[in-house]
């Protein structure tokens, strides 16, 4: 169809493309998530985003919601860096004469025939209902998207069909949010002080009923200080310039399009400290449909320009028209979906895969050096970059969308300077990346109450592993020399300065670390940390040879003599040094399963692997509490590595129960809490397929088969579509052979 469309006149081609988009989404239910009025009380918002900026969804589709822009951080005094909420651009409000739509309580008898559909194939939200209030009714349809084709643009279209004749009012505002209160000096507060302050503010940090955020007391948004605003009732435009608190400049503009032939009675400009709006009065007729469209342009310092330029973009968008912009946006998403994961045999798993890929792709940029915040373009985990970016999100994207994985490794190169300064601060050499990095500056903004996590230094090995993975997946020698090698070399230098030599046992150790099972703080020889450091050092030796540099001879010596605690009697690894009791209740129970995770994949015998896995299951039962979704991923991967396809499928299905909040499959950190939008959990689920069931690993020899593929018996096939590797593309299919065993086939495209 695409080649046929290219020969048609542009307008007709775009019309056909729009029709094809709607048909494609309608015929594949795995791309469609729909909310109903039954979910009004437990509505867990999703978001629309293009990697650069976002907006949260709302039940009505028209309500004011906060949105965020990539690495646009607030730096208030004594606080940690946190995402500054963009002025709310998505709102349109409507008053048929008895009350405003967005102020009316959400109830089934008021919002009848309700449906809100997220079409993930085209990243478009559509909301329909009949608004019945004050003896009047209006059919409402709202369609909103944040453009994947034109990254500075978004649009929302409100279609009303009044069931009466008369005058109505509409407003097209930009909400100028006030600063969140209370704000706490989190950069200085201890854990006890933080808890006391939260309680004193009338809040708590307990798990809460859906959909109330659990950690809003500490993960509140930052503020954009408005510097200038303006509007024009003749051109139906609004614009503003602002600046995130002590951060980057931000600009927005709006252009409104009215229905042709609308009988307009009055248009007013409203400017207050909290609202910039075009307010309209018009006459409508019963049964006639009216389409009102709001075009938004947004930018920030270093990405775009000012309000004047954004106003031009918004007006150009209005000239182009909603249907054309929507078709281009959806076509861009269709191109993204050419790389996909297809599961035949389990519709629920397939839909979850698509929702997780949707959330990952919604938060990726190309050609930048911005990472993805831990909780996407939301204020969760304060928008900071953790090891999640390098070890969970990056590998999930690398084979399917390498251009969207690349900014993560580029971020670590861009922020190498702050990591070197931090190493010096802690008396180490090389580069010591922070546990929580500001996505704009790369500086350490770990909250003071979590300061002990500075010992969770495995992040430095995780970063080196990701850099090497990118090189092995792309074969880009020039990139390695200019960008990857400086990071890898400085991380190896860090580890060489951080280890201790145990002369009595002729081995190297790493003391005073926080385990990935974070309740175990300040332990010696955490197995995960030591194994990751060992791998990072060996990577540095290989990378040096590739770029023609001289490796420090000590790197190999340390790697070869690195101790990884092991119980000879039980023939399994220990979580950390045997001198530390393993007896705490944690969400992981143990971190042994993480020795199998795809990035690390610590070599071990099949029997040791089995023993590690069995111990993990035992400890999860005995010492586990409300396990994180990451653990479900590791158990799925571990089962696949052990050849237990049914077990892997069971853990994958466990990952659907409770973690996915309706109606839009928003993943939360655990089943019990509402810490949502965590990209590591979505990425982990994707890794269960890309690396877990496939048995594939990225190394210097290629895309290697580390162990036989695994496919649950009830599934017909698993297909990794459009895999990118070293300049070529493949479809990789796993199905059942005549002997019943899973088999993997690669087809070059």
């Amino acid at each position: 169809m695409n080649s046929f469309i290219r020969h048609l006149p542009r307008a007709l081609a775009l019309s056909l493309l729009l029709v094809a988009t709607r048909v494609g989404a309608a015929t594949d239910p795995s791309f469609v998530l729909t909310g109903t009025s039954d979910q009004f009380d437990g509505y867990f918002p999703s978001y629309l985003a293009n990697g650069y900026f976002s907006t949260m969804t709302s039940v009505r589709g028209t309500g004011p919601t906060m949105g965020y822009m990539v690495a646009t951080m607030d730096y208030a005094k004594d606080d940690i860096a946190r995402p500054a909420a963009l002025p709310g651009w998505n709102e349109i409000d409507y008053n048929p004469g008895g009350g405003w739509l967005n102020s009316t309580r959400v109830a089934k008898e008021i919002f009848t025939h309700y449906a809100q559909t997220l079409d993930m194939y085209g990243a478009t939200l559509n909301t329909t209902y009949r608004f019945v209030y004050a003896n009047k009714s209006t059919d409402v349809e709202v369609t909103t998207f944040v453009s994947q084709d034109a990254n500075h643009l978004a649009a929302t279209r409100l279609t009303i069909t009044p069931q009466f004749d008369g005058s109505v009012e509409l407003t097209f505002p930009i909400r100028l949010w006030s600063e969140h209160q209370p704000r706490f000096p989190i950069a200085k507060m201890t854990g006890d002080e933080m808890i006391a302050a939260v309680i004193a503010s009338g809040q708590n940090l307990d798990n809460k009923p859906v959909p109330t955020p659990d950690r809003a007391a500490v993960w509140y948004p930052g503020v954009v200080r408005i510097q200038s605003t303006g509007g024009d009732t003749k051109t139906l435009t609004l614009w503003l310039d602002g600046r995130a608190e002590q951060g980057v400049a931000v600009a927005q503009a709006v252009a409104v399009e009215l229905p042709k032939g609308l009988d307009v009675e009055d248009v007013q400009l409203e400017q207050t400290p909290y609202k910039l709006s075009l307010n309209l009065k018009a006459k409508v007729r019963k049964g006639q449909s009216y389409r009102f469209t709001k075009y938004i342009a947004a930018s920030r310092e270093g990405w775009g320009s000012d309000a004047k330029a954004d106003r031009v973009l918004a007006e150009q968008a209005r000239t182009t028209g909603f249907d054309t912009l929507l078709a281009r946006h959806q076509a861009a998403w269709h191109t993204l979906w050419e790389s996909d994961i297809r599961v035949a045999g389990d519709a629920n798993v397939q839909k979850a895969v698509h929702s997780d890929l949707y959330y990952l792709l919604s938060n990726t940029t190309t050609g930048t050096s911005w990472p993805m915040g831990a909780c996407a373009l939301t204020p969760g985990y304060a928008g900071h970059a953790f090891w999640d970016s390098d070890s969970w999100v990056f590998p999930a994207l690398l084979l399917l969308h390498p251009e969207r994985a690349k900014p993560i490794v580029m971020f670590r190169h861009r922020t190498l300077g702050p990591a070197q300064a931090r190493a010096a601060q802690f008396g180490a050499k090389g580069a010591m990346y922070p546990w929580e990095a500001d996505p704009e500056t790369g500086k350490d903004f770990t909250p003071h109450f979590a300061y002990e996590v500075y010992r969770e230094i495995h992040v430095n090995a995780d970063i080196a592993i990701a850099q090497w993975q990118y090189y092995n997946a792309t074969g880009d020698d020039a990139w390695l020399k200019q960008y990857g090698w400086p990071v890898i070399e400085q991380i190896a230098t860090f580890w060489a300065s951080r280890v201790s030599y145990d002369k009595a046992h002729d081995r190297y150790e790493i003391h005073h670390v926080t385990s990935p099972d974070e309740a175990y703080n300040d332990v010696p020889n955490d197995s995960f940390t030591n194994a990751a450091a060992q791998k990072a050092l060996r990577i540095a030796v290989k990378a040096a040879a590739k770029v023609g540099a001289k490796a420090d001879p000590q790197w190999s010596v340390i790697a070869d003599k690195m101790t990884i605690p092991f119980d000879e009697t039980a023939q399994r690894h220990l979580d950390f040094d045997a001198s530390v009791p393993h007896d705490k209740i944690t969400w992981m129970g143990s971190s042994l399963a993480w020795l199998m995770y795809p990035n690390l994949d610590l070599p071990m015998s099949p029997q040791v692997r089995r023993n590690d896995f069995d111990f993990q299951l035992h400890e999860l039962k005995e010492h586990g509490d409300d396990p994180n979704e990451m653990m479900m991923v590791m158990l799925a991967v571990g089962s696949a590595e052990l050849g237990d396809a049914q077990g892997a499928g069971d853990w994958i299905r466990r990952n659907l129960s409770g973690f996915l909040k309706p109606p839009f499959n928003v993943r939360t950190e655990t089943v019990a809490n509402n810490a949502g939008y965590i990209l590591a959990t979505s990425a982990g689920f994707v890794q269960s397929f890309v690396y877990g069931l496939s048995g594939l690993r990225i190394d210097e020899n290629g895309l290697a088969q580390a162990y036989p593929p695994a496919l649950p018996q009830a599934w017909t096939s698993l297909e990794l579509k459009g895999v990118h590797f070293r300049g070529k593309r493949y479809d990789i299919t796993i199905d059942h052979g005549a002997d019943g065993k899973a088999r993997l086939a690669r087809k070059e495209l």
Side-chain angles (χ1 to χ4, degrees):
M1 180 176 177
N2 287 339
S3 60
F4 170 69
I5 285 179
R6 280 197 292 269
H7 297 289
L8 293 173
R10 183 169 181 80
L12 179 57
L14 285 167
S15 296
L16 286 176
L17 186 57
L18 185 59
V19 171
T21 293
R22 290 171 175 164
V23 171
T27 55
D28 189 343
S30 69
F31 284 106
V32 178
L33 295 167
T34 299
T36 69
S37 57
D38 291 337
Q39 295 157 331
F40 280 168
D41 291 337
Y43 179 90
F44 207 106
S46 180
Y47 54 78
L48 300 167
N50 62 6
Y52 294 90
F53 73 109
S54 70
T55 188
M56 305 302 292
T57 67
S58 68
V59 173
R60 301 173 185 85
T62 56
T65 64
M66 289 184 175
Y68 300 87
M69 189 171 285
V70 62
T72 301
M73 307 297 284
D74 165 310
Y75 302 101
K77 186 177 184 295
D78 295 331
D79 199 0
I80 56 175
R82 60 180 67 249
L86 294 180
W89 54 261
N90 62 312
E91 178 184 3
I92 301 176
D93 208 354
Y94 165 67
N95 186 346
W100 288 96
L101 174 68
N102 291 337
S103 301
T104 304
R105 65 187 176 88
V106 176
K108 290 183 178 181
E109 66 273 17
I110 297 174
F111 294 83
T112 67
H113 309 291
Y114 176 90
Q116 185 173 74
T117 299
L118 177 62
D119 166 20
M120 297 180 291
Y121 190 57
T124 306
L125 187 74
N126 188 259
T127 312
T128 59
Y129 48 84
R130 174 166 283 192
F131 177 50
V132 182
Y133 195 66
N135 298 316
K136 290 184 177 179
S137 64
T138 305
D139 293 326
V140 174
E141 180 177 7
V142 191
T143 303
T144 305
F145 67 93
V146 180
S147 180
Q148 187 64 232
D149 172 69
N151 296 137
H152 289 279
L153 296 178
T156 186
R157 181 170 65 189
L158 169 67
T159 302
I160 59 170
T161 307
Q163 302 304 314
F164 59 88
D165 294 328
S167 293
V168 299
E169 295 178 88
L170 292 104
T171 67
F172 304 88
I174 299 178
R175 289 286 172 177
L176 311 178
W177 309 115
S178 58
E179 186 172 10
H180 187 277
Q181 295 295 340
R183 288 194 71 147
F184 302 123
I186 291 178
K188 301 191 302 184
M189 300 177 81
T190 66
D192 288 342
E193 288 172 336
M194 182 75 253
I195 292 170
V198 169
I199 292 172
S201 70
Q203 305 174 81
N204 63 63
L205 298 175
D206 300 334
N207 291 344
K208 297 176 176 62
V210 174
T212 307
D214 289 336
R215 306 293 180 261
V218 292
W219 293 343
Y220 47 80
V223 66
V224 170
R225 305 289 185 191
I226 304 303
Q227 297 173 325
S228 64
T229 64
D232 189 328
T233 57
K234 293 182 179 179
T235 61
L236 297 178
T237 53
L238 302 168
W239 59 90
L240 65 85
D241 279 303
R243 183 173 292 276
E245 177 69 18
Q246 300 186 50
V248 299
V250 173
Q252 285 182 343
V254 162
V256 174
E257 181 180 14
L258 304 181
K260 288 182 174 57
L262 180 68
D263 187 357
V264 177
E265 297 179 290
D266 186 38
V267 181
Q268 296 289 331
L269 174 66
E270 180 181 355
Q271 294 189 80
T272 74
Y274 306 108
K275 185 179 178 184
L276 174 65
S277 182
L278 291 167
N279 302 331
L280 170 76
K281 291 183 179 179
K283 289 184 178 179
V284 295
R285 293 186 176 183
K286 179 180 180 179
Q288 185 170 333
S289 295
Y290 301 87
R291 287 182 169 179
F292 301 86
T293 307
K294 189 177 183 184
Y295 301 90
I296 300 93
S299 61
R300 54 149 284 179
E301 191 175 331
W303 179 67
S305 188
D306 57 11
K308 182 178 179 181
D310 283 352
R311 181 183 177 187
V312 171
L313 287 177
E315 290 185 288
Q316 288 174 343
R318 182 170 59 189
T319 299
T320 300
F322 184 88
D323 286 344
T324 298
L325 291 173
L326 177 61
R328 292 174 181 172
H329 158 72
Q330 292 179 324
W333 266 91
H334 297 172
T335 298
L336 290 178
W337 286 114
E338 289 175 3
S339 291
D340 192 10
I341 299 172
R342 304 296 301 190
V343 177
D346 194 318
N348 290 331
V349 169
Q350 177 65 86
K351 183 166 286 193
V353 170
H354 278 157
S355 60
D356 284 319
L357 283 171
Y358 165 79
Y359 287 117
L360 288 170
L361 293 173
S362 294
N363 286 278
T364 55
T365 59
T366 59
T368 76
S369 57
W370 284 313
M372 299 159 75
C375 293
L377 289 165
T378 79
Y381 275 111
H384 297 166
F386 292 70
W387 77 298
D388 305 26
S389 293
D390 307 87
S391 293
W392 293 85
V393 175
F394 174 78
L397 290 169
L398 181 56
L399 292 179
L400 298 175
H401 297 279
E403 77 287 353
R404 291 170 179 269
K406 186 177 181 179
I408 294 171
V409 290
M410 295 300 292
F411 168 70
R412 299 303 189 180
H413 176 268
R414 177 170 66 82
T415 58
L416 181 57
Q420 290 170 315
R422 189 167 180 272
Q425 175 189 343
F426 282 89
K429 297 179 181 178
M432 182 180 177
Y433 287 89
W435 183 243
E436 296 191 33
D438 171 23
E440 177 69 4
T441 67
K443 293 181 179 179
D444 185 2
F445 274 101
T446 306
H448 181 66
F449 62 77
Y451 75 96
E452 290 182 337
V453 182
Y454 81 85
R455 296 190 182 99
E456 198 163 347
I457 55 175
H458 66 78
V459 61
N460 294 282
D462 305 319
I463 291 167
I465 292 169
Q467 301 282 320
W468 188 238
Q469 273 193 320
Y470 182 78
Y471 169 69
N472 282 327
T474 63
D476 190 337
D477 292 302
W479 177 88
L480 178 65
K481 188 169 186 176
Q482 184 174 357
Y483 299 107
W485 165 245
V487 174
I488 292 169
E489 187 270 337
Q490 286 294 288
I491 287 175
T493 301
F494 164 77
W495 286 116
S497 73
R498 183 62 173 76
V499 298
S500 300
Y501 179 61
D502 179 356
K503 186 175 181 180
H505 297 93
D506 188 26
R507 69 187 190 188
Y508 284 91
E509 302 181 338
I510 305 175
H511 299 159
H512 305 297
V513 301
T514 297
S515 168
D517 200 358
E518 291 170 348
Y520 293 98
N521 178 50
D522 197 8
V523 299
N525 295 320
D526 173 71
S527 291
F528 183 90
T529 302
N530 287 20
Q534 179 187 64
K535 186 165 186 173
L537 288 164
R538 288 176 173 160
I539 283 170
V541 174
K542 295 172 185 177
K546 288 288 184 182
V547 301
K550 183 178 180 180
D552 183 340
Q554 195 67 7
W555 294 346
S556 292
V557 173
I558 294 170
D560 291 343
K561 294 184 178 183
M562 179 70 73
T563 184
I564 299 175
F566 192 80
D567 184 331
E568 293 290 347
T569 302
Q571 281 296 292
R572 65 167 178 83
H573 291 96
L574 299 173
D575 281 76
F576 26 71
D577 197 276
S579 63
V580 179
H582 190 268
D583 56 4
K584 296 183 179 181
I585 301 297
T586 72
W587 65 262
M588 293 175 68
S590 167
S591 59
L592 286 197
W594 285 25
L595 298 178
M596 307 177 195
Y597 97 119
N599 278 28
L600 183 57
D601 202 16
L602 179 67
M604 64 185 82
S605 72
Q607 188 58 56
V608 170
R609 193 177 296 276
R610 164 58 66 186
N611 294 342
D612 280 3
F613 188 82
D614 289 346
F615 180 78
Q616 176 71 69
L617 291 179
H618 177 270
E619 290 303 289
L620 191 60
K621 182 179 180 180
E622 294 295 319
H623 292 107
D625 177 53
D626 194 19
N628 187 304
E629 188 269 351
M630 289 178 172
M631 182 51 67
M632 304 297 106
V633 172
M634 289 299 92
L635 294 173
V637 172
S639 294
E641 290 190 46
L642 292 167
D644 181 6
Q646 190 60 42
D650 289 344
W651 286 113
I652 285 171
R653 282 185 289 274
R654 281 277 299 273
N655 229 329
L656 309 184
S657 180
F659 291 105
L660 299 174
K661 298 299 190 283
F664 300 121
N665 278 10
V666 172
R667 281 198 182 273
T668 53
E669 192 171 29
T670 72
V671 170
N673 76 20
N674 293 324
Y677 316 105
I678 298 179
L679 291 181
T681 58
S682 289
F685 192 68
V686 170
Q687 286 202 52
S688 300
F689 303 88
V690 177
Y691 303 103
L693 295 179
S694 74
L696 296 174
R697 295 292 182 271
I698 299 168
D699 62 28
E700 49 267 34
N701 297 317
L703 191 55
Q705 192 76 50
Y707 53 85
L711 187 68
Q713 197 60 43
W715 298 6
T716 306
S717 65
L718 168 64
E719 187 175 10
L720 309 178
K721 291 180 60 65
V723 167
H724 296 253
F725 196 77
R726 296 183 184 175
K728 296 181 179 180
R729 294 188 71 209
Y730 303 88
D731 282 346
I732 297 175
T733 303
I734 304 170
D735 62 10
H736 299 289
D739 59 0
K741 294 182 179 180
R743 59 186 182 180
L744 183 146
R746 311 185 195 199
K747 178 184 176 183
E748 186 174 343
L749 302 178

